[in-house]
Amino acid sequence: MRVGYRTFGRTSLNYGMHLCLEQARQIEGVELVSTSVHNAKTCDVLLFSFFWWEHFYNFATFLVDAGLDPRASRRPLVIIGGFQAYNFISLGRLYHWACIGDGEQFLSDALRLVAAGAEDRIAELLGAHWPGKKTPTEWRSDAFSATAMQEPGQSVTRIEIARGCKYKCAFCALTYLKPYREAPVEMVRSLIDESRSKRVALFAPERLAHSGFDEIDCYVSEKGKASAAADLRWDNLMTRPGHKGTILFGLEGMSERLRFAIGKHITDEGLVEGYRRLVQESGKGSRGIRFYLILGLPGEAPEDYEAWTNLLRQLNETPEALGMTLTPFVNTFMPQPHSPLQWAASASPWIDYGARFAKALWPHGHDDSKRWRMTIAFTPRIWGARSRIKAQLAIRGDERVGNLFLEMAVNRELKALVAKWGNVGARALLRFVERNYGYDEAYLCGALDPTGSYPWQAVRTHVPHETLLRRWMGYQRRTGAIGVEEYQKLKIARQLVSS
């Protein structure tokens, strides 16, 4: 049985597929091939993994270029999975089977059933979903064990030491999709021993949260290897004086108000003192500090931009300012299904958040860059209006969007219309989807009724709906987005949902 596999994006996003393929290699008679549009039709089964929303569009283009239509034929059989499984409904009938959640064992079992001529029994597997399924699918969370992957073309071994997240940031779906599990220290040590590279990346949603992280990290050093991982939580970083590695953490909110609301209890005072300490501990009097910021969070106000400027002024007054290089990676808010903020409005497609943030960085124009004693390297990752609308279609869409994905891949006139510069193309896309698919801006980008029914409810996770609604209500109270009267209405709605 010839099984093709395909992922989209950079190699570090292919880890899930790597784990699944390791299991598939154990099946007798299975030939694994890296799939392109040129050899896809020669396969009996095609495997696709989606990490980001844009991979749905990549997938539709792949099908068109390969001359495949899963709606018309079950050969090759199309099986999909990946983190974006929280709403595969928007792919319509462009696949045959989907794995919702952990895929290693699922894929192994599914391929054995296909090889045995018992494809229909895939429906019995935990986490199995398919177009037209009438009942919710439980997110699959299997027993976890550490696994290593050598990235192609890179001299680093990636070792997953935990899966899921202990923390409950309101904007992030990870905690609410995957229960936290971690690998035993001895298992991780053995993988470090087997690693042939000099660099090891211990990774997890928050690697410092692993109960044995310090022991594992020391072992990496004992074996003469360098730690290549970067992402950290600020609060965990502050409990480990003398950290010498790369600094990259999720700050997310520009102001204390927004940070506290999403679950990041980071004060301005704590940031200033922490940045000073990092420079002092660097040993050379300078330190690069990178962090993520989200613009357009629910309840964001002009005061939050002012708070960011004030924070920079406080940093500028410290003796260590000359040794600081601050690199904010900035993106706009996108509500993720199954998170407490899933009902919130997305960042507006029509606001130039990049210009707003630049004004907060340099309130008197770019000459301000000479006034700051620290170095600021602004790295915007801010999508334009067209991309924000395309993202919301993938995230909030139902079965109809699958046909839209295909149409956007084949309709040259539509592609030319949508590709027009600035907001012209974005507004053309909105008009097109409203006229032909029934979606409007209010649904795609606006706030949703928490008591409504939505496509992603076809997936059920380990966190009750009532818990998410309670946290959404709490977020709004903390940001002042709702008053007491509206809060009471939502509280009654929550009680109705619970009953």
Side-chain angles (χ1 to χ4, degrees):
M1 183 169 67
R2 187 175 171 88
V3 178
Y5 59 92
R6 178 64 185 258
T7 57
F8 304 97
R10 65 182 188 270
T11 57
S12 60
L13 303 183
N14 300 346
Y15 178 75
M17 177 67 84
H18 168 81
L19 296 181
C20 292
L21 296 180
E22 288 299 301
Q23 293 290 326
R25 289 189 176 94
Q26 310 305 315
I27 304 174
E28 185 176 354
V30 167
E31 176 193 3
L32 293 174
V33 294
S34 178
T35 305
S36 70
V37 296
H38 305 294
N39 68 0
K41 283 187 175 180
T42 69
C43 298
D44 300 297
V45 179
L46 289 176
L47 312 176
F48 293 91
S49 179
F50 307 110
F51 193 83
W52 299 118
W53 61 266
E54 60 261 50
H55 295 167
F56 285 6
Y57 293 88
N58 300 148
F59 172 62
T61 301
F62 181 94
L63 292 178
V64 170
D65 292 345
L68 299 175
D69 188 351
R71 301 169 300 179
S73 173
R74 298 188 75 82
R75 288 296 177 269
L77 192 71
V78 176
I79 303 177
I80 63 176
F83 181 73
Q84 204 68 23
Y86 53 55
N87 188 20
F88 279 160
I89 302 302
S90 64
L91 285 174
R93 297 184 175 273
L94 298 184
Y95 65 97
H96 302 120
W97 298 100
C99 173
I100 307 299
D102 293 345
E104 301 98 308
Q105 190 59 49
F106 174 94
L107 184 62
S108 177
D109 293 341
L111 291 178
R112 292 179 194 277
L113 289 171
V114 174
E119 180 203 325
D120 290 348
R121 290 189 57 197
I122 293 177
E124 302 171 12
L125 299 179
L126 178 63
H129 193 82
W130 58 90
K133 186 181 180 185
K134 302 300 183 185
T135 56
T137 300
E138 296 283 347
W139 187 279
R140 179 171 181 150
S141 297
D142 294 334
F144 172 70
S145 59
T147 309
M149 180 182 82
Q150 181 84 37
E151 290 193 27
Q154 299 189 29
S155 57
V156 59
T157 300
R158 292 172 58 81
I159 301 177
E160 184 184 23
I161 63 173
R163 189 172 295 179
C165 186
K166 292 180 178 181
Y167 304 94
K168 299 178 176 63
C169 298
F171 67 92
C172 181
L174 187 58
T175 293
Y176 308 97
L177 293 175
K178 302 181 180 184
Y180 182 77
R181 293 148 289 165
E182 63 180 41
V185 171
E186 285 305 315
M187 181 182 293
V188 179
R189 285 165 63 107
S190 66
L191 291 174
I192 295 170
D193 289 338
E194 296 168 7
S195 169
R196 291 175 294 177
S197 65
K198 287 292 186 182
R199 300 168 66 224
V200 173
L202 305 170
F203 76 96
E206 171 47 37
R207 56 196 172 97
L208 295 186
H210 190 291
S211 59
F213 179 80
D214 289 337
E215 182 180 350
I216 295 170
D217 195 41
C218 287
Y219 192 70
V220 170
S221 299
E222 289 174 13
K223 301 300 290 186
K225 299 179 182 294
S227 177
D231 288 29
L232 303 161
R233 274 184 65 96
W234 178 259
D235 46 0
N236 287 333
L237 175 63
M238 289 296 99
T239 65
R240 288 170 167 79
H243 180 81
K244 300 298 183 183
T246 301
I247 304 295
L248 176 59
F249 68 96
L251 182 58
E252 317 305 0
M254 291 183 291
S255 65
E256 286 185 4
R257 183 181 73 96
L258 290 177
R259 293 195 292 270
F260 280 31
I262 61 177
K264 298 273 188 176
H265 297 283
I266 306 174
T267 65
D268 286 353
E269 181 181 0
L271 277 172
V272 172
E273 291 307 309
Y275 281 22
R276 293 186 63 191
R277 197 190 84 187
L278 289 171
V279 173
Q280 292 167 2
E281 293 176 349
S282 67
K284 54 184 179 180
S286 63
R287 196 68 180 267
I289 303 169
R290 303 183 296 165
F291 49 91
Y292 300 109
L293 278 175
I294 303 174
L295 305 183
L297 282 166
E300 182 184 275
E303 292 75 19
D304 298 303
Y305 290 87
E306 293 171 8
W308 177 252
T309 303
N310 288 333
L311 173 61
L312 292 179
R313 288 181 176 133
Q314 292 179 55
L315 289 170
N316 197 52
E317 293 171 0
T318 65
E320 293 79 12
L322 286 172
M324 296 180 190
T325 298
L326 309 183
T327 306
F329 294 102
V330 181
N331 212 326
T332 50
F333 172 70
M334 185 170 62
Q336 292 190 352
H338 306 290
S339 73
L341 299 191
Q342 63 185 300
W343 301 288
S346 70
S348 170
W350 318 117
I351 292 177
D352 187 347
Y353 289 97
R356 283 189 176 185
F357 186 69
K359 179 69 173 176
L361 279 180
W362 301 292
H364 304 293
H366 281 278
D367 282 347
D368 245 19
S369 61
K370 299 174 183 177
R371 302 182 188 182
W372 297 132
R373 296 169 61 237
M374 60 273 190
T375 301
I376 300 178
F378 177 29
T379 306
R381 293 180 174 179
I382 299 175
W383 300 321
R386 179 172 53 243
S387 292
R388 292 182 216 168
I389 293 167
K390 288 174 67 177
Q392 292 304 115
L393 282 163
I395 291 168
R396 287 186 169 178
D398 59 17
E399 294 88 347
R400 294 170 290 175
V401 180
N403 291 331
L404 172 63
F405 291 151
L406 286 181
E407 188 164 4
M408 292 186 69
V410 300
N411 187 330
R412 293 183 179 180
E413 183 179 343
L414 174 60
K415 286 196 288 186
L417 188 65
V418 172
K420 288 187 176 180
W421 181 254
N423 291 343
V424 176
R427 294 192 185 280
L429 174 60
L430 265 180
R431 288 193 297 269
F432 181 84
V433 298
E434 184 169 5
R435 182 172 63 249
N436 295 282
Y437 291 91
Y439 293 105
D440 60 16
E441 182 181 347
Y443 172 76
L444 291 175
C445 304
L448 301 178
D449 180 357
T451 64
S453 296
Y454 303 104
W456 55 91
Q457 290 172 347
V459 172
R460 189 159 53 204
T461 75
H462 67 289
V463 179
H465 178 277
E466 195 269 347
T467 299
L468 298 174
L469 183 54
R470 184 177 66 249
R471 290 176 181 165
W472 168 227
M473 292 164 58
Y475 177 93
Q476 292 179 93
R477 286 298 303 274
R478 287 190 291 273
T479 58
I482 57 173
V484 175
E485 184 177 346
E486 184 65 21
Y487 178 80
Q488 292 302 325
K489 290 179 181 178
L490 279 173
K491 189 174 182 180
I492 293 171
R494 177 168 63 86
Q495 291 168 346
L496 289 173
V497 169
S498 178
S499 61

